[in-house]
């Protein structure tokens, strides 16, 4: 770093000039060794302060920063922003190339692009549906195999004695299956862990989570989900469908796979973040729709959780994708189940029909439902708080992949053990006749009866949920349900956040259904068997309340539940329950997904700036000094700036390269690191152009071909001679970047940034000179905490 | 009087059932009466499929002949039409539907031969075994009929164990076969006779005689499970103590630090 500064000799001279004049052109220079983030030793701001603000204090600060070379280390906590995450470029770089291309496309061609969008959406729907089918069928068969083996074993040992072997068998089976599932996630693609909903939420918010929409992630996710569900963990396969759908969408819309190194040369128009984001939100919707058989719910999910950028055409397209997805799932599953074209099994989880007489509800029940919402909110908050501590512990101490795998195995073994012990201790026997139990375990029950605890534990969670909803009254003892709720609550809480791909939807529904059913039973006991106290209905409401209390979704969850039950009349009570659960839960802690986003130190931008932030202005928010480039810049300088490891900037304001330093050198445009890399790679240098060495002009296609994995600067070789060449940026930079004056308030900056999906926002002074730069991390670090406005610190993770 | 009027064959308006139709109807009525009686008599213990498949088949045939009967060639005097669909109640249809539904619910087709004449071989075998085990129960109970102390059925348990196990195995086998063959949900059940017979036997065996006393090996189970439950505690403690806590390196942002600057600038600019 230091020798760079020495070599670039003119920079020092320029600085002297600037200081003399008191006005400056922000320049690209080497930096002093002390500055951790920025290269520029001399920039407008510092000089501005020197010349017209409080001199002493600023100098003092500069000095205190220098000795602080060794950065301080702190344990991971929630008040951090990771440097790992970068923004996506949702704002098109409107450079000359782009404008030329757009002008070339005539009206008819735009129509083709529009048709292509629809085709892509249809393909997203179909593929997402197929993936959902695949997961469903494989899970059904593998889990069936496992439960049959264990059941035969238990049956054998019940007569002869030696049930501890069955326990060992069950625990070992679970642990080994989960071990494989956890290993592929921990060692191959850690981003596939969890449900993927927080990651997709971040992606749609504009944060680039590394690897999140790669084909490899999809493969690992799908296999991981299958293995963790088969491994008997307290997880569901619904949440990961959303992630899978998004990856599929991102893959298809690009018409190529970088992982497979195949380029189909189609859909090249969509190779940029803006277009990709729209398709990813369609993919997320298709995923929800495949998971729950809820196309409208999927669209609303995308709207509520994901898409920060929305318009009507997009809504319609997304709806199309989710309809196609649920239809595909329907048709394939109907063929698989042997009744082809009977399109009546929508969704991976089907809550079954709730349309019998006694499933209706009356006005007297509304307060009861609201009370259930309150309970759900409190339990959800408890769940989230426990999970918070656990996740913090995991981030701090269990960060090595092998430890993560061991932890997942232990959880699997303990889940099996808890299930076994519960079944072993339960004396709740129900007659086998007329019940539709998949794997009836007799154990200590009389012949012809089955253990009712086993229907809850000895089954995949999805089936257990449906059983709780629909088994006739009297199928479960209150004692059984109570113990089940308690145990499953802790198991699910413990499981979420493990290094396996798994969702939290089904476990939440299961916990809620169990206590909801318990609630219904005790209600009918208290009211001496009133007609309206059907436990199945309360199980549904409890499930809604618990899920709402944990994930805090409202609109989309109401519609998803409504569609999954196929009963519109339940809309009102479900809405009430979810609303109450959210209000009560928000009083204590935030939702599970937001919590995990925060724990991952992601710079996530919410809808609004924190309410008490009006006193802050862009001047305090921005990062400064800014590394700028001149319009015609020396290649060596560019390479040095890009390869400086201490400052990983991605956008550089371009200023006028005026030899006459007395003039104001205002902001001319903005150029991105990715563009610079492409320019360097193709060696678009002024000298070469003059010598007619360049065969052709660089086109927008060259930039697209490199998207989204631009090579790192280290892989680009620039010879010593070439370093002395000049590079003309005027054609490639975005000549009209968004700017704000220094006095703009934080909410105003925030609004601009959030609404337009910006990545860089340049702060200029009255003379259009670059003063600072606002990026996502500058805005995201302000957060409304318990004691008012908090500021998060940046950290390397 | 009405009967006479009708049979006299009033001309014109009053619709009248043709003689052959009337005989069909009478046959159906008798058939349904017979079937109802049969079903009712064999309700407990359930012997529906064994005992009533004859009447049921006959009733089906009678209903079929009504439905097929074209009567006297002319459209208006069609037996099917006049018996089955000329009034709101449609009692014949209702009756036949009821019988059909009952038959399906009982799943009798499952233990009858394909042409539904008589019981299928496997069912015969099962019922044979069932009777054998019942006789075995009876036989052994008679031996100790004097002292019927509730817990003293060890004789029965010992002597009939073989037959009972055979019966149980056969039932399970039948069930498995059935599950594999059947597609829809309904045929997942065996026919009600077999199910009920098994049910009765099982209840006698494990409730009344208290024969199926599974070995409860609580101590090994407790040992194994507490071992497994203990593992996570060890794991978390050891990772807490031995694993190096992950530290984050703080990065100092480059910003204007003091508020005094800000105030100054604001004053200056404003």
């Amino acid at each position: 770093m230091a020798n760079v500064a020495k070599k670039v000799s003119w920079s020092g001279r320029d600085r002297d000039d600037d200081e003399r004049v008191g006005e400056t052109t922000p320049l690209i220079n080497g930096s002093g060794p002390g500055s951790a983030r920025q290269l520029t030793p001399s920039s407008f701001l510092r000089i501005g302060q020197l010349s017209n603000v409080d001199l002493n204090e600023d100098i003092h600060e500069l000095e205190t920063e220098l000795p602080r070379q060794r950065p301080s280390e702190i344990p991971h906590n929630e008040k951090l922003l990771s440097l790992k995450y970068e923004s996506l470029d949702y704002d098109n770089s409107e450079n000359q190339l782009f404008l030329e291309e757009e002008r070339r496309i005539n009206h008819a061609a735009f129509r083709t692009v529009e048709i292509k969008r629809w085709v892509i959406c249809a393909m997203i729907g179909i593929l997402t549906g197929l993936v959902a089918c695949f997961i469903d069928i494989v899970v059904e068969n593998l889990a069936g195999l496992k439960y049959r083996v264990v059941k035969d074993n238990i049956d054998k040992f019940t007569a002869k004695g030696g049930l501890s072997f069955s326990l060992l068998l069950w625990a070992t089976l679970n642990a080994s299956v989960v071990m494989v599932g956890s290993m592929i996630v921990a060692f191959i693609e850690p981003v596939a862990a969890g449900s993927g909903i927080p990651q997709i939420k971040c992606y749609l918010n504009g944060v680039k989570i590394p690897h999140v929409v790669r084909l490899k992630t999809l493969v690992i996710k799908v296999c991981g989900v299958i293995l963790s569900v088969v491994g008997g963990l307290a997880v569901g396969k619904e949440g990961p469908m959303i992630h899978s759908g998004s990856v599929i969408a991102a893959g298809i819309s690009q018409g190529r796979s970088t992982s497979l190194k195949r380029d189909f040369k189609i859909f090249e128009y969509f190779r940029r973040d803006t277009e990709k984001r729209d398709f990813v939100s369609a993919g997320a919707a298709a995923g929800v729709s495949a998971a729950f058989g809820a196309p409208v719910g999927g669209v609303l999910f995308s709207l509520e959780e994901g898409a920060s950028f929305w318009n009507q055409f997009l809504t319609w397209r997304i709806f199309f994708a989710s309809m196609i997805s649920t239809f595909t799932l329907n048709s394939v599953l109907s063929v698989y189940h042997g009744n082809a074209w009977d399109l009546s099994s929508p969704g991976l989880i089907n809550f079954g029909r709730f349309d019998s007489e006694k499933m209706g509800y009356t006005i007297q029940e509304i307060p009861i439902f609201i009370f259930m919402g309150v309970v759900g909110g409190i339990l959800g908050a408890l769940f989230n708080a426990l999970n918070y501590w656990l996740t913090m512990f995991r981030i701090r101490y269990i960060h090595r992949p092998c430890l993560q795998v061991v932890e997942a195995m232990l959880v699997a073994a303990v889940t099996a053990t808890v299930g076994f012990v519960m079944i072993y201790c339960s004396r709740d026997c129900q007659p086998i006749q007329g019940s539709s139990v998949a794997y009836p375990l007799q154990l200590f029950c009389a012949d012809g009866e089955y253990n009712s605890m086993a229907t809850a534990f000895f089954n995949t969670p999805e089936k257990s949920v449906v059983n709780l909803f629909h088994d006739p009254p009297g199928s479960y003892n209150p004692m059984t349900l109570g113990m089940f709720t308690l145990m499953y609550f802790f198991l699910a809480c413990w499981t979420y956040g493990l290094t396996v791909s798994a969702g939290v939807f089904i476990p939440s529904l299961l916990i809620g259904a169990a206590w909801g059913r318990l609630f219904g039973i005790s209600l009918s006991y208290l009211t001496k068997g009133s007609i309206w106290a059907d436990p199945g209905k309360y199980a549904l409401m409890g499930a809604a309340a618990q899920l709402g209390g944990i994930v805090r979704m409202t609109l989309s969850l109401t519609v998803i539940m409504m569609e999954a039950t196929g009963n519109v009349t339940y809309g009102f009570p479900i809405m009430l329950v979810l609303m109450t659960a959210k209000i009560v839960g928000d009083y204590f802690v935030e939702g599970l997904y937001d919590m995990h986003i925060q724990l991952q130190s992601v710079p996530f931008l919410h809808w609004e700036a924190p309410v008490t932030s009006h006193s802050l202005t862009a001047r305090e928010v921005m990062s400064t000094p800014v590394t700028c480039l001149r319009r015609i810049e020396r290649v060596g300088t560019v390479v040095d700036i890009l390869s400086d490891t201490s400052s990983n900037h991605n956008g550089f304001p371009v200023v006028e390269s005026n030899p006459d330093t007395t003039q104001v050198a205002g902001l001319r445009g903005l150029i991105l690191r990715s563009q610079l890399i492409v320019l360097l790679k193709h060696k678009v240098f002024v000298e070469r152009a003059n010598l007619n060495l360049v065969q052709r002009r660089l086109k927008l296609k060259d930039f697209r071909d490199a998207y989204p994995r631009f090579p790192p600067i280290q892989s680009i070789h620039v010879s010593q001679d070439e370093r002395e060449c000049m590079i003309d940026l005027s054609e490639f930079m975005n000549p009209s970047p968004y700017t704000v004056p220094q006095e703009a308030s934080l909410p105003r900056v925030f609004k601009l940034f959030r609404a337009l999906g910006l990545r860089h926002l340049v702060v200029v002074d009255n003379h259009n000179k670059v003063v600072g730069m606002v990026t996502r991390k500058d805005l995201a670090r302000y957060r409304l905490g318990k004691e008012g406005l908090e500021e998060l610190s940046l950290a390397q993770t | 009087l009405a009967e006479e009027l009708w049979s006299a064959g009033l001309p014109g308006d009053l619709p009248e059932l043709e003689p052959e139709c009337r005989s069909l109807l009478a046959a159906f009525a008798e058939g349904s009466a017979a079937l109802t009686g049969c079903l009712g008599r064999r309700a407990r213990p359930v012997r529906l499929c064994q005992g009533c498949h004859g009447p049921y088949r006959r009733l089906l045939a009678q209903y079929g002949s009504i439905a097929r009967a074209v009567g006297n060639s002319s459209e208006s005097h069609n037996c099917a039409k006049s018996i089955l669909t000329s009034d709101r109640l449609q009692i014949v249809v209702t009756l036949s539907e009821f019988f059909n539904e009952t038959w399906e619910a009982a799943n009798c087709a499952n233990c009858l031969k394909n042409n539904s004449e008589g019981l299928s071989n496997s069912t015969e075998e099962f019922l044979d075994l069932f009777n054998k085990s019942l006789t075995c129960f009876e036989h052994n109970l008679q031996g100790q009929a004097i002292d019927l102390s509730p817990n003293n059925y060890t004789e029965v348990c010992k002597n009939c164990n073989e037959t009972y196990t055979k019966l149980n195995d056969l039932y399970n086998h039948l069930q498995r076969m059935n599950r594999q063959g059947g597609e829809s949900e309904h045929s997942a059940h065996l026919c009600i006779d077999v199910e009920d017979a098994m049910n009765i036997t099982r209840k006698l065996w494990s409730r009344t005689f208290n024969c199926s006393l599974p070995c409860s090996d609580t101590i090994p189970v407790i040992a194994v499970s507490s071992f497994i439950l203990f593992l996570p505690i060890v794991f978390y403690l050891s990772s807490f103590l031995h694993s190096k806590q992950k530290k984050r390196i703080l990065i100092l942002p480059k910003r204007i630090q003091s508020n005094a600057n800000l105030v100054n600038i604001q004053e200056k600019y404003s």
Side-chain angles (χ1 to χ4, degrees), chain A residues 287-475:
Chain A
V288 177
S289 136
F292 294 97
V296 183
V299 175
L300 293 176
F301 174 85
S302 266
L303 174 66
E304 188 180 345
E305 286 295 297
S308 316
F309 312 93
W310 203 254
N311 65 53
Q312 290 124 337
F313 303 112
L314 182 62
T315 318
W316 186 225
R317 261 202 317 269
I318 290 179
F319 183 64
F320 176 69
S322 41
M323 267 300 181
I324 294 278
S325 140
T326 186
F327 173 77
T328 310
L329 182 76
N330 247 325
S331 353
V332 176
L333 280 190
S334 69
V335 171
Y336 175 73
H337 290 305
N339 38 357
W341 312 121
D342 164 33
L343 306 178
S344 61
S345 58
L348 289 185
I349 176 153
N350 194 348
F351 291 164
R353 297 262 155 248
F354 278 90
D355 43 17
S356 65
E357 282 280 303
K358 57 190 176 181
M359 289 296 199
Y361 62 96
T362 54
I363 191 89
Q364 295 95 312
E365 292 178 78
I366 298 294
I368 301 174
F369 291 151
I370 291 178
F371 175 73
M372 293 183 79
V374 173
V375 175
I378 293 172
L379 284 179
L382 182 67
F383 185 98
N384 291 1
L386 287 176
N387 196 261
Y388 173 86
W389 289 113
L390 195 59
T391 311
M392 192 65 100
F393 182 84
R394 280 176 178 150
I395 293 176
R396 284 187 187 170
Y397 294 103
I398 307 180
H399 42 80
R400 295 224 310 274
C402 10
L403 282 182
Q404 290 169 338
V405 172
V406 172
E407 190 192 13
M409 284 171 67
L410 284 178
V411 175
V414 169
T415 308
T417 311
V418 168
F420 189 88
V421 171
M422 300 299 283
I423 294 171
Y424 191 91
C425 298
S426 165
R427 290 288 175 275
D428 180 8
C429 296
Q430 304 289 341
I432 227 165
Q433 305 289 340
S435 70
S436 54
V437 192
Y439 317 104
L441 264 191
Q442 183 186 351
L443 219 65
F444 301 134
C445 289
D447 288 0
E449 294 186 339
Y450 67 89
N451 190 312
S452 124
M453 184 67 98
T455 47
F457 267 116
F458 198 67
N459 213 336
T460 53
E462 285 104 41
K463 299 253 170 57
S464 308
V465 173
V466 178
N467 285 343
L468 283 171
F469 285 163
H470 290 294
D471 279 353
S475 308

Side-chain angles (χ1 to χ4, degrees), chain A residues 65 74 162 407 447 619 778, chain B residues 164 217 236 254-255 265:
Chain A
E65 263 175 37
I74 55 157
E407 190 192 13
D447 288 0
R619 199 181 151 72
D778 298 324
Chain B
Y164 176 76
D217 34 12
Y236 283 117
K254 279 282 174 183
R255 289 202 179 84
I265 285 163

Side-chain angles (χ1 to χ4, degrees), chain A residues 89 642 650 652 671-679 703 706 710-711 759:
Chain A
D89 293 299
L642 291 184
N650 279 293
F652 303 93
I671 195 151
L672 300 173
R673 169 183 287 262
S674 54
Q675 293 172 318
L676 286 174
I677 284 181
V678 174
L679 293 182
F703 291 95
F710 296 100
R759 184 172 182 185

Side-chain angles (χ1 to χ4, degrees), chain A residues 129-149:
Chain A
L130 289 180
V131 167
C133 287
F134 174 74
I135 294 179
D136 192 47
I137 291 171
V138 174
V139 164
E140 200 180 306
N141 288 322
L142 286 184
L145 184 70
K146 185 190 92 177
Y147 284 121
R148 267 197 302 279
V149 168

